[in-house]
Short mmCIF file of all heavy atoms in Angstrom, two decimals:
data_model
loop_
_atom_site.label_atom_id
_atom_site.label_comp_id
_atom_site.label_asym_id
_atom_site.label_seq_id
_atom_site.Cartn_x
_atom_site.Cartn_y
_atom_site.Cartn_z
N LEU A 1196 0.83 -1.20 0.00
CA LEU A 1196 0.00 0.00 0.00
C LEU A 1196 0.87 1.26 0.00
O LEU A 1196 1.05 1.90 1.04
CB LEU A 1196 -0.92 0.02 1.23
CG LEU A 1196 -1.86 -1.17 1.39
CD1 LEU A 1196 -2.50 -1.15 2.77
CD2 LEU A 1196 -2.92 -1.15 0.31
N PRO A 1197 1.41 1.66 -1.14
CA PRO A 1197 2.25 2.86 -1.18
C PRO A 1197 1.44 4.10 -0.81
O PRO A 1197 0.27 4.23 -1.17
CB PRO A 1197 2.71 2.95 -2.64
CG PRO A 1197 2.31 1.69 -3.30
CD PRO A 1197 1.29 1.03 -2.45
N VAL A 1198 2.09 4.99 -0.07
CA VAL A 1198 1.48 6.26 0.32
C VAL A 1198 2.36 7.39 -0.22
O VAL A 1198 3.56 7.43 0.04
CB VAL A 1198 1.33 6.38 1.85
CG1 VAL A 1198 0.78 7.74 2.24
CG2 VAL A 1198 0.44 5.26 2.39
N LEU A 1199 1.74 8.27 -0.98
CA LEU A 1199 2.43 9.43 -1.53
C LEU A 1199 1.86 10.66 -0.85
O LEU A 1199 0.65 10.84 -0.83
CB LEU A 1199 2.21 9.54 -3.04
CG LEU A 1199 2.39 8.26 -3.86
CD1 LEU A 1199 2.10 8.54 -5.32
CD2 LEU A 1199 3.77 7.70 -3.68
N ILE A 1200 2.72 11.47 -0.27
CA ILE A 1200 2.27 12.73 0.32
C ILE A 1200 2.67 13.83 -0.65
O ILE A 1200 3.85 14.12 -0.82
CB ILE A 1200 2.86 12.96 1.73
CG1 ILE A 1200 2.45 11.81 2.66
CG2 ILE A 1200 2.35 14.30 2.28
CD1 ILE A 1200 3.00 11.92 4.07
N ASP A 1201 1.66 14.39 -1.31
CA ASP A 1201 1.88 15.40 -2.34
C ASP A 1201 1.91 16.79 -1.71
O ASP A 1201 0.88 17.30 -1.26
CB ASP A 1201 0.79 15.31 -3.39
CG ASP A 1201 1.02 16.23 -4.58
OD1 ASP A 1201 1.99 17.02 -4.55
OD2 ASP A 1201 0.23 16.16 -5.53
N LEU A 1202 3.11 17.36 -1.67
CA LEU A 1202 3.32 18.68 -1.05
C LEU A 1202 3.46 19.78 -2.09
O LEU A 1202 3.91 20.88 -1.76
CB LEU A 1202 4.57 18.62 -0.15
CG LEU A 1202 4.54 17.54 0.94
CD1 LEU A 1202 5.88 17.48 1.66
CD2 LEU A 1202 3.41 17.78 1.92
N SER A 1203 3.04 19.51 -3.31
CA SER A 1203 3.19 20.48 -4.40
C SER A 1203 2.57 21.83 -4.10
O SER A 1203 3.07 22.86 -4.54
CB SER A 1203 2.57 19.93 -5.69
OG SER A 1203 3.17 18.73 -6.06
N ASP A 1204 1.45 21.82 -3.37
CA ASP A 1204 0.74 23.06 -3.08
C ASP A 1204 0.94 23.54 -1.64
O ASP A 1204 0.19 24.39 -1.15
CB ASP A 1204 -0.75 22.89 -3.39
CG ASP A 1204 -1.01 22.70 -4.87
OD1 ASP A 1204 -0.31 23.35 -5.68
OD2 ASP A 1204 -1.89 21.89 -5.22
N LEU A 1205 1.95 23.00 -0.98
CA LEU A 1205 2.28 23.46 0.37
C LEU A 1205 3.01 24.79 0.27
O LEU A 1205 3.98 24.92 -0.47
CB LEU A 1205 3.17 22.42 1.06
CG LEU A 1205 3.41 22.61 2.55
CD1 LEU A 1205 2.12 22.39 3.33
CD2 LEU A 1205 4.48 21.65 3.03
N THR A 1206 2.54 25.78 1.01
CA THR A 1206 3.15 27.10 0.94
C THR A 1206 4.03 27.41 2.13
O THR A 1206 4.86 28.33 2.08
CB THR A 1206 2.07 28.20 0.82
OG1 THR A 1206 1.18 28.10 1.94
CG2 THR A 1206 1.30 28.07 -0.48
N TYR A 1207 3.87 26.66 3.23
CA TYR A 1207 4.66 26.90 4.44
C TYR A 1207 4.66 25.62 5.26
O TYR A 1207 3.66 24.90 5.33
CB TYR A 1207 4.02 28.04 5.25
CG TYR A 1207 4.71 28.29 6.57
CD1 TYR A 1207 5.89 29.01 6.63
CD2 TYR A 1207 4.19 27.78 7.75
CE1 TYR A 1207 6.54 29.23 7.84
CE2 TYR A 1207 4.83 28.00 8.97
CZ TYR A 1207 5.99 28.72 8.99
OH TYR A 1207 6.64 28.94 10.18
N CYS A 1208 5.78 25.35 5.91
CA CYS A 1208 5.89 24.19 6.79
C CYS A 1208 6.85 24.53 7.92
O CYS A 1208 8.00 24.87 7.68
CB CYS A 1208 6.39 22.97 6.02
SG CYS A 1208 6.46 21.46 6.98
N ASP A 1209 6.36 24.45 9.16
CA ASP A 1209 7.23 24.70 10.30
C ASP A 1209 7.67 23.37 10.92
O ASP A 1209 7.41 22.30 10.37
CB ASP A 1209 6.57 25.64 11.31
CG ASP A 1209 5.44 25.01 12.10
OD1 ASP A 1209 5.14 23.80 11.93
OD2 ASP A 1209 4.83 25.73 12.93
N SER A 1210 8.30 23.44 12.07
CA SER A 1210 8.83 22.22 12.70
C SER A 1210 7.73 21.25 13.08
O SER A 1210 7.94 20.03 13.05
CB SER A 1210 9.68 22.58 13.92
OG SER A 1210 8.90 23.27 14.88
N THR A 1211 6.56 21.75 13.42
CA THR A 1211 5.45 20.86 13.75
C THR A 1211 5.04 20.07 12.51
O THR A 1211 4.79 18.86 12.58
CB THR A 1211 4.24 21.65 14.29
OG1 THR A 1211 4.66 22.42 15.42
CG2 THR A 1211 3.11 20.73 14.70
N GLY A 1212 5.00 20.73 11.37
CA GLY A 1212 4.68 20.05 10.12
C GLY A 1212 5.71 18.99 9.77
O GLY A 1212 5.37 17.88 9.34
N ILE A 1213 6.97 19.33 9.97
CA ILE A 1213 8.04 18.36 9.71
C ILE A 1213 7.89 17.15 10.63
O ILE A 1213 8.07 16.01 10.22
CB ILE A 1213 9.42 19.03 9.83
CG1 ILE A 1213 9.61 20.01 8.67
CG2 ILE A 1213 10.54 17.99 9.87
CD1 ILE A 1213 10.84 20.88 8.77
N THR A 1214 7.51 17.40 11.88
CA THR A 1214 7.29 16.31 12.83
C THR A 1214 6.16 15.39 12.37
O THR A 1214 6.26 14.16 12.50
CB THR A 1214 7.00 16.87 14.23
OG1 THR A 1214 8.11 17.66 14.65
CG2 THR A 1214 6.75 15.77 15.24
N VAL A 1215 5.11 15.95 11.79
CA VAL A 1215 4.02 15.14 11.26
C VAL A 1215 4.54 14.24 10.13
O VAL A 1215 4.21 13.05 10.07
CB VAL A 1215 2.87 16.03 10.76
CG1 VAL A 1215 1.82 15.20 10.00
CG2 VAL A 1215 2.22 16.77 11.92
N LEU A 1216 5.37 14.79 9.26
CA LEU A 1216 5.93 14.00 8.16
C LEU A 1216 6.85 12.91 8.68
O LEU A 1216 6.84 11.78 8.16
CB LEU A 1216 6.66 14.92 7.18
CG LEU A 1216 5.78 15.96 6.47
CD1 LEU A 1216 6.64 16.91 5.65
CD2 LEU A 1216 4.71 15.28 5.63
N ILE A 1217 7.62 13.20 9.70
CA ILE A 1217 8.48 12.18 10.32
C ILE A 1217 7.63 11.07 10.92
O ILE A 1217 7.95 9.89 10.81
CB ILE A 1217 9.42 12.81 11.38
CG1 ILE A 1217 10.44 13.71 10.70
CG2 ILE A 1217 10.10 11.73 12.21
CD1 ILE A 1217 11.25 14.57 11.67
N GLY A 1218 6.51 11.45 11.53
CA GLY A 1218 5.59 10.45 12.07
C GLY A 1218 5.03 9.54 10.99
O GLY A 1218 4.88 8.33 11.19
N ALA A 1219 4.72 10.12 9.83
CA ALA A 1219 4.24 9.32 8.70
C ALA A 1219 5.32 8.35 8.26
O ALA A 1219 5.04 7.17 7.96
CB ALA A 1219 3.82 10.22 7.55
N ASP A 1220 6.56 8.82 8.21
CA ASP A 1220 7.67 7.95 7.83
C ASP A 1220 7.85 6.82 8.84
O ASP A 1220 8.07 5.67 8.46
CB ASP A 1220 8.97 8.75 7.69
CG ASP A 1220 10.11 7.85 7.27
OD1 ASP A 1220 10.15 7.47 6.08
OD2 ASP A 1220 10.94 7.51 8.14
N ARG A 1221 7.74 7.14 10.10
CA ARG A 1221 7.88 6.12 11.15
C ARG A 1221 6.80 5.04 10.98
O ARG A 1221 7.08 3.84 11.04
CB ARG A 1221 7.79 6.76 12.53
CG ARG A 1221 8.03 5.77 13.66
CD ARG A 1221 8.04 6.42 15.03
NE ARG A 1221 9.05 7.46 15.10
CZ ARG A 1221 8.80 8.74 15.41
NH1 ARG A 1221 7.58 9.12 15.67
NH2 ARG A 1221 9.77 9.63 15.46
N ARG A 1222 5.58 5.49 10.75
CA ARG A 1222 4.48 4.53 10.57
C ARG A 1222 4.70 3.68 9.33
O ARG A 1222 4.47 2.46 9.34
CB ARG A 1222 3.17 5.29 10.47
CG ARG A 1222 1.99 4.37 10.36
CD ARG A 1222 0.76 4.95 11.00
NE ARG A 1222 -0.32 4.02 10.78
CZ ARG A 1222 -1.46 4.32 10.20
NH1 ARG A 1222 -1.70 5.56 9.82
NH2 ARG A 1222 -2.39 3.41 10.03
N ALA A 1223 5.15 4.30 8.24
CA ALA A 1223 5.43 3.55 7.02
C ALA A 1223 6.53 2.52 7.26
O ALA A 1223 6.42 1.37 6.83
CB ALA A 1223 5.82 4.51 5.90
N SER A 1224 7.57 2.91 7.97
CA SER A 1224 8.68 1.99 8.25
C SER A 1224 8.22 0.82 9.10
O SER A 1224 8.61 -0.33 8.85
CB SER A 1224 9.81 2.73 8.98
OG SER A 1224 10.39 3.68 8.14
N GLU A 1225 7.39 1.08 10.09
CA GLU A 1225 6.90 0.02 10.97
C GLU A 1225 6.04 -1.00 10.24
O GLU A 1225 5.98 -2.16 10.63
CB GLU A 1225 6.10 0.62 12.13
CG GLU A 1225 6.94 1.38 13.12
CD GLU A 1225 6.11 2.18 14.13
OE1 GLU A 1225 4.86 2.25 13.98
OE2 GLU A 1225 6.72 2.74 15.05
N THR A 1226 5.37 -0.56 9.18
CA THR A 1226 4.44 -1.44 8.46
C THR A 1226 5.02 -1.94 7.14
O THR A 1226 4.37 -2.73 6.45
CB THR A 1226 3.12 -0.71 8.18
OG1 THR A 1226 3.39 0.44 7.37
CG2 THR A 1226 2.43 -0.31 9.47
N GLY A 1227 6.20 -1.46 6.76
CA GLY A 1227 6.81 -1.85 5.50
C GLY A 1227 6.20 -1.18 4.29
O GLY A 1227 6.37 -1.63 3.16
N ALA A 1228 5.47 -0.10 4.52
CA ALA A 1228 4.81 0.61 3.42
C ALA A 1228 5.77 1.58 2.74
O ALA A 1228 6.49 2.31 3.41
CB ALA A 1228 3.61 1.40 3.94
N PRO A 1229 5.77 1.61 1.41
CA PRO A 1229 6.53 2.64 0.72
C PRO A 1229 5.90 4.01 0.99
O PRO A 1229 4.68 4.15 0.93
CB PRO A 1229 6.40 2.26 -0.76
CG PRO A 1229 5.90 0.86 -0.78
CD PRO A 1229 5.14 0.66 0.49
N LEU A 1230 6.73 5.00 1.30
CA LEU A 1230 6.26 6.37 1.51
C LEU A 1230 7.13 7.29 0.68
O LEU A 1230 8.37 7.21 0.74
CB LEU A 1230 6.36 6.78 2.98
CG LEU A 1230 5.99 8.22 3.29
CD1 LEU A 1230 4.48 8.44 3.17
CD2 LEU A 1230 6.46 8.62 4.68
N VAL A 1231 6.49 8.15 -0.10
CA VAL A 1231 7.22 9.09 -0.96
C VAL A 1231 6.65 10.47 -0.75
O VAL A 1231 5.43 10.66 -0.75
CB VAL A 1231 7.09 8.69 -2.46
CG1 VAL A 1231 7.87 9.66 -3.33
CG2 VAL A 1231 7.55 7.25 -2.69
N LEU A 1232 7.54 11.45 -0.55
CA LEU A 1232 7.12 12.85 -0.53
C LEU A 1232 7.25 13.39 -1.94
O LEU A 1232 8.29 13.25 -2.58
CB LEU A 1232 8.00 13.67 0.43
CG LEU A 1232 7.99 13.26 1.90
CD1 LEU A 1232 8.78 14.25 2.73
CD2 LEU A 1232 6.58 13.10 2.44
N VAL A 1233 6.19 14.00 -2.41
CA VAL A 1233 6.10 14.44 -3.80
C VAL A 1233 6.01 15.97 -3.86
O VAL A 1233 5.33 16.59 -3.04
CB VAL A 1233 4.84 13.82 -4.46
CG1 VAL A 1233 4.63 14.37 -5.85
CG2 VAL A 1233 4.96 12.30 -4.48
N GLY A 1234 6.69 16.55 -4.85
CA GLY A 1234 6.54 17.97 -5.11
C GLY A 1234 7.10 18.89 -4.04
O GLY A 1234 6.58 19.99 -3.85
N VAL A 1235 8.14 18.46 -3.36
CA VAL A 1235 8.74 19.28 -2.31
C VAL A 1235 9.42 20.49 -2.94
O VAL A 1235 10.21 20.35 -3.88
CB VAL A 1235 9.74 18.45 -1.48
CG1 VAL A 1235 10.45 19.31 -0.45
CG2 VAL A 1235 9.03 17.28 -0.81
#
């Protein structure tokens, strides 16, 4: 179940936002799911 997080239209990201993305990566790693950040 690949998960792509499309950030193409993100206009601002602070440390809290980065922490959310790290959490997504942690969850993907724990489950073996491919995770890709798109449009950074």
Side-chain angles (χ1 to χ4, degrees):
L1196 302 169
V1198 176
L1199 313 179
I1200 301 179
D1201 186 355
L1202 303 174
S1203 301
D1204 294 322
L1205 190 68
T1206 57
Y1207 176 79
C1208 184
D1209 72 2
S1210 61
T1211 304
I1213 291 172
T1214 300
V1215 171
L1216 297 173
I1217 292 169
D1220 181 75
R1221 184 176 302 123
R1222 183 149 177 236
S1224 294
E1225 290 170 353
T1226 61
L1230 176 73
V1231 181
L1232 299 186
V1233 174
V1235 176

